[in-house]
Amino acid sequence: MSSQGFKQLRVAVVGGGIGGLSAGLALRRAGHLVEIFERRGFDVEVGASISCAANGSVHLEDWGVDVSEMSPVNLMKLTMRDWDTGEVQGVYDLSGYEKEWGRVYFMLHRQDMHKVLLKTAISEEGAGTPCKIVNDSICESVDLEAGIVKFTNGKFVQADLIIGADGIRSVVREQIGVVPDIKSSPQTCYRCNVLTKDIKELGLVSHSYEPAIQFWGGNEGRNGRSKYYKIVMAPCSSGEVVSFYCFMPTEMTNHREEGFAFKECPVSDILKGRYSELDPNCLALLKSSRERMPWRLYVHQPYTHWVNKQTCLLGDAAHPMMPHQSQGACQAIEDAGALGIIFSSKYPEFTRDVEAGLRLYQAIRKPRATMVQAASARATDNVAERIGFTSIDIKDEMLRPTDGSLTVKQMNEYNMHHHVAAEVSKLRKSQESLHEMAHL
Ligand SMILES: Cc1cc2nc3c(=O)[nH]c(=O)nc-3n(C[C@H](O)[C@H](O)[C@H](O)COP(=O)(O)OP(=O)(O)OC[C@H]3O[C@@H](n4cnc5c(N)ncnc54)[C@H](O)[C@@H]3O)c2cc1C
């Protein structure tokens, strides 16, 4: 296919999180000039473990990102445990994952992932012009007619393509006319970390730092325990840190704000209600935790649209989801992957007609991300809906997924290059027929 007529675009990305940096990288590799505007410095980056399954790392590989620099843990299994006893109820074995899907299932610390994406995006090495990062730039508004992003510091930038990667409380989302339907989730979360060296020193259970994601609870509870009690635990930072997500019914917390960076809270904020019944080994780990932060969860219904003129949404700004499928980062990476493919020299027509390219972006990405968003909501009510557990035989009837649950195969078999090529071929054919009809 000819790359004739390829136009280099000026791209403004609002938000320098994992999604924004991925978009910057994808579009830099595609030959465009990218500026990434972040509201604050990166020194405040916090976080805990983030999953990077094969559907995410396939794009990182395309962009030349060296995942080994992110201090990954290569996951070997997903383990489901009983809340009270810690007894193993089901295991999804990942030992054949790399062979089957071509890449391992990585567990990363968000800060490590962010650092390496940033480094690669701005590096002089590798294809394309290094992305320019502009910190302390809080987006205030977007003029869709003029293609201008305005910042609260009075500065502005004009661009051919504007990407709202500004997270869960996106400003760009409002500017493109989305009216979000947001409700408080019945479940809320606290994140915390335990150092593997502390686990060893204190003689706590060694299975805590094995390369596995482990789940306690998360199902319709026996003895009246709410299904919203759940722990998700996974090692990251080369196995030096074990990260915990501690879920509970929302009425157990007074924390209201949506977001990630808050003041640390005492362990007593977590160990309330039915946490007294938690597997004593897991409880002992939590008592030794640090970096404890609240993470209030809200349920966002799928948005009506993600694009308007030359502006689009990406990542959490486009499809905020409950964390239960561990796909938030991967879905943001997939969005970025789609933009990089659509605006590549393989499809030069979209670099000359950005709005048409963004319509295709929405058509490619919205159904898939919405599918994951819905599966994440289902997994709020039943841990067996988690990708991976949907493919194993679980003896306990209370822990069975419903028909039509999301599977590892659905996530990893997908080929975005093929999907885009098929859609473009349809578009080109319909344009050719219109052209022929006009000349009859
Ligand atoms: C500090 C932080 C910690 C996180 N910790 C975890 C975690 O432990 N586990 C987990 O699963 N997920 C975590 N996440 C969420 C996870 O990173 C995202 O779900 C996923 O990676 C999708 O990323 P995103 O780039 O779409 O959104 P985000 O990662 O939220 O990035 C959005 C970026 O936009 C910036 N921004 C927001 N508003 C504006 C504005 N008006 N102008 C300019 N910039 C703006 C934000 O500062 C942020 O850097 C965290 C996110 C953040 C920001």
Side-chain angles (χ1 to χ4, degrees):
M1 221 169 285
S2 152
S3 64
Q4 240 188 353
F6 175 80
K7 182 182 163 215
Q8 185 176 55
L9 301 174
R10 288 163 306 151
V11 183
V13 181
V14 178
I18 285 164
L21 293 174
S22 298
L25 253 170
L27 289 157
R28 161 193 174 164
R29 296 290 187 240
H32 303 291
L33 298 176
V34 183
E35 283 185 286
I36 300 174
F37 298 89
E38 167 57 40
R39 66 177 162 182
R40 54 191 184 196
F42 294 126
D43 49 340
V44 294
E45 277 298 317
V46 293
S49 61
I50 285 229
S51 282
C52 189
N55 66 307
S57 49
V58 66
H59 298 285
L60 300 184
E61 219 172 271
D62 273 0
W63 308 327
V65 177
D66 186 354
V67 178
S68 70
E69 286 189 13
M70 295 177 179
S71 308
V73 171
N74 300 351
L75 288 175
M76 286 297 146
K77 55 187 171 179
L78 308 180
T79 308
M80 195 189 279
R81 291 178 180 274
D82 180 72
W83 179 269
D84 306 82
T85 62
E87 186 196 322
V88 175
Q89 292 172 318
V91 175
Y92 181 67
D93 182 8
L94 295 164
S95 56
Y97 190 93
E98 185 176 12
K99 190 156 177 254
E100 192 164 7
W101 305 115
R103 24 203 87 72
V104 295
Y105 189 153
F106 295 116
M107 204 69 204
L108 308 166
H109 193 295
R110 187 178 177 280
Q111 278 170 290
D112 297 329
M113 186 181 199
H114 189 271
K115 203 164 53 194
V116 176
L117 285 174
L118 175 63
K119 178 184 143 193
T120 319
I122 61 176
S123 171
E124 292 292 336
E125 284 168 28
T129 308
C131 299
K132 192 174 153 202
I133 307 284
V134 192
N135 287 110
D136 304 316
S137 306
I138 303 173
C139 171
E140 185 176 58
S141 63
V142 179
D143 180 338
L144 297 172
E145 294 306 320
I148 292 176
V149 185
K150 293 185 185 149
F151 300 96
T152 53
N153 57 14
K155 296 193 177 154
F156 62 90
V157 65
Q158 185 164 30
D160 304 307
L161 169 59
I162 298 167
I163 300 171
D166 50 342
I168 204 136
R169 283 289 154 111
S170 167
V171 169
V172 179
R173 184 169 65 206
E174 281 165 29
Q175 301 292 304
I176 70 160
V178 170
V179 182
D181 174 354
I182 309 175
K183 287 195 181 63
S184 170
S185 164
Q187 186 185 43
T188 201
C189 181
Y190 285 88
R191 299 173 309 170
C192 59
N193 295 323
V194 184
L195 299 184
T196 303
K197 84 171 175 37
D198 292 347
I199 295 172
K200 288 181 180 164
E201 266 172 37
L202 297 166
L204 303 176
V205 282
S206 58
H207 68 64
S208 49
Y209 47 86
E210 68 183 30
I213 309 184
Q214 310 200 38
F215 301 74
W216 283 256
N219 56 300
E220 204 53 75
R222 293 168 184 82
N223 312 327
R225 192 185 61 242
S226 161
K227 60 193 169 190
Y228 299 131
Y229 282 101
K230 179 166 82 175
I231 304 266
V232 181
M233 174 183 104
C236 55
S237 300
S238 304
E240 284 166 19
V241 174
V242 180
S243 135
F244 281 84
Y245 292 91
C246 306
F247 296 92
M248 62 185 71
T250 295
E251 59 266 24
M252 305 294 298
T253 175
N254 293 323
H255 183 81
R256 299 259 160 265
E257 261 179 277
E258 198 173 24
F260 297 98
F262 299 106
K263 241 179 51 206
E264 281 195 54
C265 58
V267 72
S268 54
D269 281 10
I270 304 176
L271 304 183
K272 288 185 292 200
R274 308 301 280 264
Y275 272 76
S276 61
E277 297 162 7
L278 179 64
D279 164 16
N281 283 324
C282 189
L283 201 57
L285 290 162
L286 288 177
K287 284 182 180 161
S288 315
S289 65
R290 48 179 82 194
E291 296 156 345
R292 293 179 287 261
M293 296 242 185
W295 183 7
R296 179 69 194 266
L297 301 169
Y298 286 82
V299 181
H300 295 239
Q301 294 307 317
Y303 302 145
T304 45
H305 58 282
W306 291 8
V307 308
N308 192 339
K309 297 204 179 281
Q310 71 299 85
T311 300
C312 69
L313 304 177
L314 174 148
D316 282 3
H319 43 70
M321 53 184 75
M322 295 295 280
H324 304 297
Q325 298 291 0
S326 315
Q327 272 285 327
C330 284
Q331 289 306 302
I333 293 171
E334 282 199 10
D335 294 342
L339 289 174
I341 296 168
I342 292 168
F343 292 106
S344 70
S345 58
K346 198 170 173 195
Y347 308 112
E349 61 266 50
F350 298 123
T351 63
R352 298 188 309 273
D353 185 350
V354 169
E355 291 188 30
L358 289 185
R359 282 196 296 275
L360 178 61
Y361 164 70
Q362 176 169 301
I364 295 274
R365 286 296 306 141
K366 197 166 180 291
R368 185 165 154 89
T370 305
M371 172 180 82
V372 181
Q373 205 178 15
S376 302
R378 284 200 302 277
T380 310
D381 293 329
N382 182 1
V383 67
E385 292 283 341
R386 167 67 163 75
I387 305 166
F389 291 144
T390 54
S391 310
I392 59 170
D393 201 19
I394 304 163
K395 287 187 199 87
D396 188 335
E397 276 196 12
M398 287 172 85
L399 286 170
R400 294 260 167 83
T402 54
D403 290 340
S405 316
L406 201 54
T407 63
V408 174
K409 193 165 183 241
Q410 266 171 298
M411 295 315 295
N412 292 354
E413 216 171 43
Y414 176 74
N415 185 314
M416 193 181 285
H417 287 274
H418 292 171
H419 189 181
V420 174
E423 291 303 315
V424 174
S425 158
K426 278 193 243 163
L427 276 174
R428 284 178 179 166
K429 274 194 194 123
S430 72
Q431 274 157 6
E432 273 162 22
S433 345
L434 282 174
H435 192 69
E436 278 165 21
M437 276 160 65
H439 287 85
L440 280 179

